[in-house]
Amino acid sequence: MLFRRIYQFMIVYGIFLGLLLAVKTGLSLSDYVIPGIPLILDTAGQVAGGFFKDVLDTLSVAILGQGISIFLAFFVGILGRRSSWAGSMIRVTAYNIQAYPIVALAPIIFILLGDGFLSRLLIAAMICYFPLLLSVLGVMAAPVTDIEHFYIATGRMRWHLEVKIRAFENLSKLTTVIAGSATLAMAGTIVAEFIAANAGIGYSIRIALYQSDLAAILTALFMIGIVISVYQGLLESLGEAVKAKWGSENKGALL
């Protein structure tokens, strides 16, 4: 699964680079506008080490922001799973707020908190929180009737058992959503760094943009793609391992 993620990204990046070079050749553009392969490789050799550290810095913030989002999404999702007025209010509020472009709030966050670590973390968490919340709400609010009916009829149903049943029956969906939210967290962190931060790969891309250094930007995009592909592959592998372990140990108990 990990290697599949990496080679899929390599294919997509290769197609993108090929199209870019086709435009360069078709319009006879100079290396200043679109760099050729030798210039890209030469630039990559010069900046790859620094960019790799920047990507890891960005990834560390994204992982922390994603962790906060996952915790909050499950907390609110569990509270909003009921068909009561409060549960309905939580779901409607989540749907309405999700429709707002959260990234538009980034400048306000930088004005209030400055351009340090906290701003990057908050924006990363906000970007991936609402898609996570909607998915978790959808899972937690959908009863698994066949299984839950037995516990309700025997008077053994408790809230934590209800949550456990619904999470187990939708574990593949939750794993996919969490792995997908890694991309959102990474994108949110990069956007925060690009706008006003002074660290991370987003900041390096902003510097390269000011210098019109497209070769450095292409190198940064390659590094981001490789790192996030590895991270997502690890998340998916972890989800499969948890599913297998949970299924062998607890499914019998639930049933």
Side-chain angles (χ1 to χ4, degrees):
M1 192 171 292
L2 175 62
F3 294 107
R4 187 180 63 185
R5 278 281 183 181
I6 294 175
Y7 78 68
Q8 284 176 341
F9 163 73
M10 296 288 286
I11 292 173
V12 172
Y13 186 85
I15 293 174
F16 167 73
L17 190 59
L19 290 175
L20 201 61
L21 293 175
V23 172
K24 170 186 172 63
T25 303
L27 299 179
S28 300
L29 300 176
S30 68
D31 279 355
Y32 179 76
V33 180
I34 298 178
I37 292 294
L39 180 56
I40 294 175
L41 294 177
D42 182 58
T43 302
Q46 297 174 19
V47 303
F51 277 9
F52 183 67
K53 293 178 181 177
D54 290 339
V55 172
L56 292 183
D57 181 25
T58 301
L59 180 65
S60 64
V61 178
I63 291 175
L64 187 55
Q66 186 190 17
I68 295 172
S69 297
I70 292 172
F71 173 78
L72 290 176
F74 273 89
F75 180 75
V76 177
I78 291 171
L79 291 179
R81 75 188 188 284
R82 294 289 187 183
S83 57
S84 61
W85 180 88
S88 176
M89 187 66 185
I90 289 174
R91 291 194 293 274
V92 170
T93 303
Y95 296 148
N96 288 337
I97 295 178
Q98 192 272 339
Y100 193 83
I102 301 300
V103 73
L105 300 176
I108 299 176
I109 294 173
F110 279 109
I111 289 173
L112 296 177
L113 302 178
D115 57 357
F117 168 79
L118 193 57
S119 297
R120 297 161 65 198
L121 177 64
L122 184 58
I123 292 173
M126 289 173 61
I127 292 292
C128 67
Y129 169 68
F130 289 103
L132 267 173
L133 175 61
L134 295 181
S135 298
V136 173
L137 271 174
V139 167
M140 293 300 166
V144 184
T145 309
D146 293 343
I147 299 176
E148 293 181 19
H149 175 72
F150 168 77
Y151 291 97
I152 294 174
T154 57
R156 296 166 56 192
M157 178 60 81
R158 301 290 184 270
W159 73 267
H160 56 277
L161 182 57
E162 183 180 77
V163 169
K164 192 174 181 179
I165 292 171
R166 295 178 185 182
F168 175 77
E169 291 299 319
N170 295 279
L171 196 54
S172 296
K173 184 187 297 183
L174 291 174
T175 300
T176 301
V177 169
I178 291 173
S181 72
T183 304
L184 294 175
M186 191 72 172
T189 310
I190 292 173
V191 167
E193 293 165 351
F194 186 84
I195 292 175
N198 55 8
I201 194 63
Y203 172 72
S204 297
I205 291 176
R206 178 155 56 100
I207 298 300
L209 180 63
Y210 290 160
Q211 298 171 347
S212 298
D213 191 348
L214 184 56
I217 295 175
L218 291 173
T219 303
L221 294 178
F222 180 79
M223 304 288 286
I224 292 169
I226 287 291
V227 170
I228 196 65
S229 296
V230 171
Y231 178 53
Q232 285 187 310
L234 291 175
L235 284 177
E236 290 173 346
S237 299
L238 179 62
E240 290 296 323
V242 170
K243 183 179 179 181
K245 183 177 178 60
W246 198 0
S248 61
E249 292 183 355
N250 297 319
K251 189 170 185 179
L254 286 175
L255 293 173

